[in-house]
Amino acid sequence: MVREWDPRTASSAEIASLLDTLNAVLAADLPQDPPWRESSMREYLSEVMPGERRISWVAQDDAAPDGTPGAILGHVHVLLLGGIGVLEVLVHPSIRRSGIGRELVRVAARRVWDEGFQSIGVEVVGDTPAVAFYESLGFTRDYVETRSVLDLRSVDWPALTEMAAEVGAGYRVEFWPGGPPDELIEAYARAKAEVRDSDDVELRPSSYDPDRLRDSLATLHRRGMKPYIVLALHERTGEVAGLTEVVVPAQHPTRADQYDTIVVHDHRGYGIDRAIKARMLLELRSAEPEVAEVQTWNAQDNESMLKVNAELGYRPDRDWCEYGVDVAELVHRLDSHR
Ligand SMILES: CC(C)(COP(=O)(O)OP(=O)(O)OC[C@H]1O[C@@H](n2cnc3c(N)ncnc32)[C@H](O)[C@@H]1OP(=O)(O)O)[C@@H](O)C(=O)NCCC(=O)NCCS
């Protein structure tokens, strides 16, 4: 049975059942990824940025004869942001290929259509059944990134300590657990705005203005995801010359997520990229001793970033693709398939 589902009011048993399904999906499709934990799972599924909405549905097994609710074996949610609905679907490996994934996408797509949105985007992990699934529904690939993973056990810490110190004169590197302080928010947002055209990825939008940046940091905290920032300050002007962001999610705290790394154009060529990333890893090691790996996503043509990541020890892991579809076409296709 597929029904709309609100994670804010769902029972703890339902949240736990969805988590079991998510972990079964990970074990089947991404066996190297750490399983997720229950901490802040409800908040992860519920909290959104101001102005965004997330609508969810579940596919639930029948109740047992004694009335115990059935397991949650499938889930879809769609995040409505800007002009696009961003979809995420998962189906327990034990019941795949029985049309549940297609049915979940159908109900979500109908709603996206009813809400007046024209396109749906989805992140699809390379070498998993999701590729054939979305292609069968008419989604086409818009963009491919590479996910890379750094195993902290392989890091040469003395070399990293040297790298962290090798920054040009006139720059000061600072570590800010929790996010940049309020007095730096404006300069920080300016640095992010400068590179928005070159490094933008539509489904994971960055925050370019100070208020949106504040909202985005607050949303991360509410979802149980702790941001860490290292930035390079240009001492003469007080401008943020470079920044790197890592998030440690309560749901999988052994594997941290590297978010944006930016060096503003005028400040390139001074070793800032290497130095801030190296400093971040050093700081993480003491602030979050449970972190064993860091994962990051890069455009395949971003050669300088890939080079620095390789020097730090990141190993390419998977293609990470963005697919998109026109909502009207999707709704039509799915309705005529019934
Ligand atoms: C993708 C996913 C949702 C598909 O769910 P599903 O219930 O098995 O999909 P359906 O049964 O509705 O399949 C619909 C169509 O998709 C295609 N398809 C689905 N899985 C396929 C596969 N493994 N190989 C080839 N085609 C496939 C087929 O055309 C299928 O139609 P058919 O069975 O009539 O031939 C499911 O495999 C899943 O949960 N994957 C993980 C999702 C994910 O990436 N999560 C985030 C990372 S963990």
Side-chain angles (χ1 to χ4, degrees):
M1 176 194 56
V2 171
R3 65 176 169 93
E4 195 167 335
W5 183 76
D6 186 345
R8 288 169 298 186
T9 52
S11 69
S12 302
E14 285 177 349
I15 300 277
S17 179
L18 174 56
L19 181 66
D20 286 346
T21 290
L22 169 66
N23 282 331
V25 165
L26 285 172
D29 294 350
L30 291 167
Q32 312 297 328
D33 281 40
W36 283 38
R37 302 179 185 174
E38 203 162 345
S39 45
S40 297
M41 194 63 194
R42 184 189 299 279
E43 291 74 14
Y44 178 84
L45 294 165
S46 316
E47 294 291 341
V48 290
M49 292 274 286
E52 293 177 356
R53 267 186 309 147
R54 188 188 286 115
I55 313 173
S56 310
W57 294 261
V58 290
Q60 189 165 19
D61 217 354
D62 295 336
D66 67 359
T68 311
I72 290 184
L73 298 173
H75 177 251
V76 60
H77 63 219
V78 64
L79 183 66
L80 300 174
L81 50 91
I84 190 172
V86 181
L87 193 77
E88 265 188 63
V89 192
L90 52 92
V91 173
H92 197 287
S94 64
I95 54 154
R96 287 183 180 171
R97 294 309 286 272
S98 54
I100 292 174
R102 193 192 283 118
E103 176 60 13
L104 288 167
V105 173
R106 198 184 64 77
V107 291
R110 264 250 147 244
R111 176 66 68 84
V112 174
W113 170 251
D114 290 344
E115 297 280 349
F117 286 72
Q118 265 146 32
S119 58
I120 289 185
V122 62
E123 283 189 15
V124 179
V125 186
D127 282 330
T128 69
V131 175
F133 173 72
Y134 287 109
E135 288 181 355
S136 81
L137 301 183
F139 285 71
T140 53
R141 201 163 83 168
D142 294 330
Y143 192 76
V144 191
E145 288 189 299
T146 301
R147 181 178 76 167
S148 305
V149 179
L150 173 66
D151 180 343
L152 293 185
R153 285 170 312 188
S154 72
V155 167
D156 179 345
W157 295 102
L160 206 74
T161 308
E162 276 176 32
M163 257 188 226
E166 283 166 7
V167 64
Y171 294 98
R172 190 169 73 241
V173 176
E174 296 181 349
F175 171 61
W176 291 101
D182 210 55
E183 65 270 20
L184 283 178
I185 287 272
E186 297 211 355
Y188 194 91
R190 269 197 301 279
K192 292 190 77 139
E194 203 211 286
V195 293
R196 67 182 298 175
D197 294 332
S198 49
D199 299 331
D200 198 13
V201 179
E202 198 184 357
L203 303 188
R204 276 180 260 134
S206 262
S207 299
Y208 307 112
D209 74 74
D211 287 337
R212 185 144 177 98
L213 184 58
R214 282 188 193 96
D215 285 344
S216 148
L217 288 162
T219 307
L220 276 177
H221 282 288
R222 285 199 309 276
R223 297 183 84 199
M225 304 162 85
K226 182 162 184 191
Y228 288 91
I229 309 288
V230 169
L231 49 83
L233 268 184
H234 185 231
E235 290 178 304
R236 187 172 57 76
T237 58
E239 284 299 306
V240 170
L243 60 94
T244 189
E245 308 169 332
V246 166
V247 167
V248 179
Q251 300 81 13
H252 52 91
T254 60
R255 185 183 281 198
D257 296 321
Q258 169 81 58
Y259 282 30
D260 285 350
T261 297
I262 286 164
V263 179
V264 173
H265 283 100
D266 286 352
H267 301 285
R268 292 187 181 171
Y270 298 98
I272 291 175
D273 187 357
R274 222 177 244 93
I276 57 181
K277 281 189 165 165
R279 171 78 178 271
M280 175 63 88
L281 293 174
L282 290 163
E283 296 286 0
L284 265 188
R285 190 160 70 137
S286 40
E288 294 277 352
E290 216 188 335
V291 172
E293 296 169 313
V294 182
Q295 58 187 356
T296 187
W297 291 262
N298 295 109
Q300 293 179 336
D301 59 2
N302 193 344
E303 282 166 23
S304 59
M305 192 81 85
L306 291 170
K307 183 163 172 278
V308 171
N309 285 348
E311 270 177 52
L312 292 167
Y314 279 92
R315 297 280 164 264
D317 171 46
R318 296 262 179 171
D319 281 351
W320 218 265
C321 314
E322 275 183 21
Y323 276 73
V325 72
D326 178 79
V327 181
E329 274 172 33
L330 180 63
V331 167
H332 180 69
R333 180 187 293 260
L334 289 167
D335 281 349
S336 55
H337 191 277
R338 295 184 90 191

